[in-house]
Amino acid sequence: MSRTTTTRPAPRRRRAAAVLAAALLLPLASCGTGGADGGPSAQGANGARLTVLAAASLTDAFTAAGAAYERSHPGTKVTFSFAGSQELVAQVRQGAPADVLVTADTASMENVRGETGTPAVIARNRLVIAVAEGNPRGVDTLEDLADPKLKVVLAAPEVPAGKYSAKVLAARKVVLKPVSEEPNVRAVLSKVELGEADAGLVYRTDTESARDKVDAVAVPDERNTVASYPAAVLKDSEEAQAAAAFVAWLSGPEAQGILRDAGFQRP
């Protein structure tokens, strides 16, 4: 699937701000088009070009979901920009031209509530400890992460995964000094994959996407926290009807099946 950069004119009152926001946007991943007619659910999708700002942990699931949506909604093109939720919020505030926002926590969405319609939680997730394949350092619990001989990496405190990690570690009174704090959860996963860290706290879905490179050490539910993923239409979307149709589709059976396959929990 090719990676492209898509440019759309920003709404009139935000055009100037969008020039600055363009520098914040990460490379956009675009999904292909094709397939059968989407029927009544495709209303408002005629020739629509949707830009979706989505949390980095949704990368694999949303890439598949975008392709499925295009197949069932001929003429619609869905382009994604994946980043840490705090970066997505910054893009929205700077006037980035986009149609839909999906974050990895409700707090990030609340930070831009004046810029969105009513959000709907479309999935949930839980933390796990990512370790190298075979778990060579023998990490079994959250408490093991406090071993000063371990190189542990976490998401930065302003990132949803970083906030969730701090919460579960504090609840267990686990104190550690990470070797790095990353701008999004996929960067944490990458550090473990590349052997630059022995362990890192990521979402269960992240380790599912890299099962040939990392193992997941479960964090028991009673010691864990639940990550919620709200989705909302951006008020300045120039494709408001099509954006609303996409957000509604995310809660439907086809999208929910894709999210379940990726390891997300029901909303």
Side-chain angles (χ1 to χ4, degrees), residues 54-63 82 102-103 122-123 186 229 259 264:
S57 51
L58 289 164
T59 299
D60 300 280
F62 265 25
T63 298
F82 297 105
V102 189
T103 61
I122 55 103
R186 282 306 176 94
Y229 290 72
L259 289 165
F264 288 91

Side-chain angles (χ1 to χ4, degrees), residues 117-138:
T118 302
V121 173
I122 55 103
R124 300 189 192 277
N125 215 339
R126 289 182 181 273
L127 293 178
V128 298
I129 305 169
V131 296
E133 190 175 19
N135 194 8
R137 300 303 299 272

Side-chain angles (χ1 to χ4, degrees), residues 2-240:
S2 62
R3 297 181 69 84
T4 63
T5 299
T6 299
T7 302
R8 294 201 292 116
R12 191 170 301 167
R13 75 179 179 86
R14 298 187 125 192
R15 193 165 288 125
V19 174
L20 176 61
L24 295 172
L25 284 170
L26 297 183
L28 304 179
S30 175
C31 297
T33 306
D37 180 66
S41 65
Q43 61 180 345
N46 297 330
R49 297 293 184 266
L50 296 177
T51 297
V52 179
L53 307 179
S57 51
L58 289 164
T59 299
D60 300 280
F62 265 25
T63 298
Y69 191 77
E70 290 179 354
R71 286 194 296 270
S72 60
H73 296 73
T76 296
K77 189 73 172 177
V78 184
T79 300
F80 296 100
S81 177
F82 297 105
S85 295
Q86 81 288 352
E87 294 181 35
L88 302 179
V89 167
Q91 291 174 23
V92 171
R93 286 176 170 169
Q94 293 295 334
D99 305 290
V100 174
L101 174 66
V102 189
T103 61
D105 65 337
T106 56
S108 293
M109 185 67 73
E110 181 67 15
N111 284 339
V112 288
R113 61 179 175 177
E115 309 288 341
T116 74
T118 302
V121 173
I122 55 103
R124 300 189 192 277
N125 215 339
R126 289 182 181 273
L127 293 178
V128 298
I129 305 169
V131 296
E133 190 175 19
N135 194 8
R137 300 303 299 272
V139 176
D140 295 317
T141 67
L142 289 169
E143 286 77 5
D144 290 339
L145 299 179
D147 184 344
K149 296 179 182 179
L150 280 182
K151 292 185 292 183
V152 179
V153 62
L154 300 174
E158 65 272 17
V159 181
K163 295 175 184 176
Y164 295 133
S165 297
K167 181 178 178 179
V168 299
L169 291 171
R172 301 303 303 171
K173 295 182 173 55
V174 176
V175 178
L176 60 88
K177 184 176 182 179
V179 294
S180 69
E181 294 180 329
E182 300 299 318
N184 62 69
V185 72
R186 282 306 176 94
V188 175
L189 179 69
S190 179
K191 290 282 188 179
V192 179
E193 285 182 291
L194 295 172
E196 296 176 11
D198 299 315
L201 281 170
V202 301
Y203 298 118
R204 184 164 69 94
T205 52
D206 296 310
T207 55
E208 284 290 313
S209 73
R211 282 185 289 180
D212 59 334
K213 296 180 180 179
V214 303
D215 286 346
V217 177
V219 177
D221 285 352
E222 65 272 15
R223 300 182 180 184
N224 215 325
T225 188
V226 177
S228 297
Y229 290 72
V233 177
L234 289 167
K235 287 184 177 179
D236 280 338
S237 169
E238 293 187 338
E239 299 281 7

